[in-house]
């Protein structure tokens, strides 16, 4: 037993990604670090590993505030070249001196979990944030490397996320949350590239984020192998160990920080989902079907259909929402970091 439940972390494990120009498994290089303070390479297989796309290392260091720089070096290999070094969501400059690669990174002011592994594309509007995790099969790690790559569940989660955005808009949920300063809906997928945040098994998230985080209701909606929704496990952010599981047919209600009802949803027995608000219409999204996307009903009548295609390697996503009018959305992002580059919409 530890002396106190409120211990403050002194060290941080910070990750770097070294991207190869030719995908393949070549064997981990020997990385060396040089710094004028205490830091070391994490030697665990979970924190130092190779994927077909890149080498990943973690550096353990004191949490420091000053201009603290670390130099990282490793030998070149004639079978490939390093095309990029990614660190905390940005690309680092690097050089090749003779047969040795070198890069320098700063750990000053870093806190919380490392963000290097994230490749998230974030779309924001008032009262709603949608985050698409870009899952490159050549970057898969952890349990997703040991199992069949969940391409069907990834596609299904993309469809549910964008369908939920349309339903939330139709129910005016984002605008109400924004106008009343109650927080926002946060719609997330899942990632397959992170050995620390395993995000397993496949699921997507429909979160009601309160303005001050603690108390936010955070459902994890799990998918079967066909991409059908099967159960919802709700956690309360900021309160450790608080959760509840909802089976198909059970309504899960979101409440604001004043106890007011915001919306409710339930997973349907067929693998779809129904969503409503107090006094609002009942919207139902169908389970994902390959080649057919997801269909949405309003009070039992056809409302719209959504088709989503995401290429993590090319840095593009297309979303087509077909309702009274068809709207095509093209999203471009940085394939290495997921950072949003542009969004264009066109009515068809």
């Amino acid at each position: 037993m530890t002396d106190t439940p409120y211990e403050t972390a002194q060290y941080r494990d910070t990750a770097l990604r070294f991207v190869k120009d030719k995908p393949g498994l070549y064997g981990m290089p020997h990385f060396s670090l040089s710094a004028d303070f205490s830091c070391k390479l994490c030697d665990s297989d979970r924190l130092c590993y190779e994927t077909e796309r890149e080498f990943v290392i973690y550096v353990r260091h004191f949490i420091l505030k000053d201009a603290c720089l670390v130099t990282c070096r490793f030998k070149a290999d004639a079978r490939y070249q390093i095309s990029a070094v990614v660190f905390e969501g940005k690309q680092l400059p690097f050089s090749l001196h003779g047969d040795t690669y070198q890069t320098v990174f700063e750990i000053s002011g870093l806190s919380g979990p490392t963000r290097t592994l994230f490749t998230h594309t974030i779309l924001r509007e008032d009262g709603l944030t949608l985050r698409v995790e870009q899952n490159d099969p050549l970057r898969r790690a952890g349990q997703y490397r040991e199992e069949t790559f969940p391409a069907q569940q990834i596609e299904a989660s993309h469809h549910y996320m964008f369908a939920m955005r349309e339903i939330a808009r139709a129910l005016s949920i984002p605008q109400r949350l924004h106008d009343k300063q109650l927080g926002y809906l946060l719609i997330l997928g899942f990632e397959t590239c992170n050995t620390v945040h395993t995000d397993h098994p496949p699921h997507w998230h429909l979160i009601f984020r309160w303005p001050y985080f603690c108390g936010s209701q955070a459902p994890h909606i799990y998918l079967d192998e066909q991409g059908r929704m099967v159960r919802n496990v709700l956690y309360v952010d900021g309160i450790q160990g608080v959760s509840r599981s909802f089976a198909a047919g059970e309504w899960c209600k979101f409440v604001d920080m004043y106890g007011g009802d915001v919306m409710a949803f339930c997973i349907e027995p067929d693998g779809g989902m129904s969503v409503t608000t107090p006094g609002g219409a009942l919207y139902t999204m169908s389970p994902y079907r390959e080649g057919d996307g997801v269909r949405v009903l309003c009070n039992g009548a056809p409302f719209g259909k959504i088709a989503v295609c995401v290429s993590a390697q090319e840095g593009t996503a297309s979303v087509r929402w077909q309702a009274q009018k068809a709207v095509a959305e093209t999203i471009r992002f940085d394939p290495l970091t997921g950072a949003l580059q542009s969004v264009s919409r066109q009515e068809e």
Side-chain angles (χ1 to χ4, degrees):
M1 180 179 294
T2 58
D3 294 334
T4 172
Y6 300 112
E7 290 182 327
T8 302
Q10 293 181 301
Y11 293 89
R12 185 181 196 255
D13 293 339
T14 298
L16 292 92
R17 295 162 46 200
F18 299 86
V19 183
K20 296 171 278 191
D21 68 336
K22 297 178 182 178
L25 297 176
Y26 302 99
M28 284 292 290
H30 173 72
F31 292 89
S32 64
L33 304 176
S34 174
D36 293 316
F37 53 89
S38 176
C39 70
K40 67 177 183 178
L41 189 70
C42 299
D43 58 4
S44 162
D45 290 342
R46 190 171 68 97
L47 299 178
C48 188
Y49 58 90
E50 179 184 16
T51 70
E52 291 183 72
R53 180 72 68 194
E54 59 200 13
F55 303 108
V56 176
I57 65 170
Y58 282 73
V59 177
R60 181 162 296 170
H61 57 84
F62 274 117
I63 298 174
L64 299 170
K65 296 181 180 180
D66 296 329
C68 302
L69 300 176
V70 183
T71 300
C72 178
R73 299 182 181 92
F74 65 98
K75 294 290 186 182
D77 189 315
R79 294 173 294 174
Y80 62 85
Q81 294 182 352
I82 295 299
S83 60
V85 179
V86 183
F87 172 79
E88 296 297 311
K90 61 184 179 182
Q91 292 191 46
L92 292 178
F94 65 95
S95 58
L96 180 61
H97 299 282
D99 65 348
T100 301
Y101 282 107
Q102 176 177 302
T103 189
V104 177
F105 58 97
E106 183 176 1
I107 58 89
S108 313
L110 297 177
S111 61
T114 184
R115 302 180 65 83
T116 299
L117 275 294
F118 293 171
T119 49
H120 298 164
T121 304
I122 299 175
L123 305 171
R124 183 196 173 274
E125 58 194 71
D126 288 350
L128 188 148
T129 297
L130 189 149
R131 190 182 81 190
V132 182
E133 285 76 3
Q134 304 298 349
N135 288 301
D136 181 348
L138 297 180
R139 291 187 64 221
R140 58 179 170 167
Q143 287 177 270
Y144 288 109
R145 184 170 178 176
E146 299 166 5
E147 302 174 2
T148 302
F149 189 70
Q152 183 91 346
Q153 291 100 321
I154 291 170
E155 290 183 9
S157 68
H158 290 157
H159 282 76
Y160 297 141
M161 291 160 62
F162 281 96
M164 186 63 229
R165 183 177 68 166
E166 297 300 333
I167 292 172
R169 288 169 172 171
L171 287 166
S172 299
I173 297 170
Q175 198 61 52
R176 176 174 176 268
L177 295 178
H178 177 76
D179 291 347
K180 295 182 177 294
Q181 298 184 329
L182 295 173
Y184 59 98
L185 287 185
L186 178 59
I187 303 173
L188 314 177
F190 68 101
E191 60 183 358
T192 59
C193 63
N194 197 327
T195 59
V196 176
H197 177 221
T198 54
D199 231 8
H200 184 275
H203 58 283
W204 67 286
H205 307 73
L206 174 59
I207 300 173
F208 175 28
R209 179 71 79 225
W210 283 7
Y212 298 103
F213 182 77
C214 186
S216 304
Q217 294 119 71
H220 295 51
I221 302 159
Y222 290 90
L223 311 176
D224 66 13
E225 292 183 357
Q226 287 72 45
R228 296 173 298 209
M229 292 175 271
V230 291
R231 66 188 175 98
N232 161 28
V233 180
L234 180 144
Y235 297 87
V236 179
D237 286 332
I239 305 178
Q240 186 177 9
V242 175
S243 66
R244 185 199 192 281
S245 183
F246 294 79
E250 285 190 276
W251 284 98
C252 176
K253 296 180 180 180
F254 284 165
V255 296
D256 64 31
M257 53 195 173
Y258 306 109
D261 288 322
V262 171
M263 60 169 280
F265 72 93
C266 76
I267 295 169
E268 296 291 350
D270 68 354
M273 175 187 284
S274 291
V275 185
T276 192
T277 56
L282 178 68
Y283 288 83
T284 302
M285 66 172 86
S286 70
Y288 168 73
R289 292 185 177 86
E290 188 175 4
D292 191 42
V294 164
R295 297 175 181 270
V296 179
L297 304 178
C298 176
N299 291 333
F303 178 69
K305 176 184 175 182
I306 200 151
V308 183
C309 181
V310 178
S311 174
Q313 295 179 2
E314 295 180 5
T316 60
S318 63
V319 182
R320 188 173 188 273
W321 170 244
Q322 186 173 353
Q324 290 182 337
K325 292 182 179 179
V327 178
E329 187 174 16
T330 301
I331 302 163
R332 300 188 184 280
F333 54 89
D334 182 340
L336 287 179
T337 65
L340 182 66
Q341 294 174 333
S342 66
V343 179
S344 61
R345 297 177 179 86
Q346 182 178 356
E347 289 190 0
E348 297 179 345

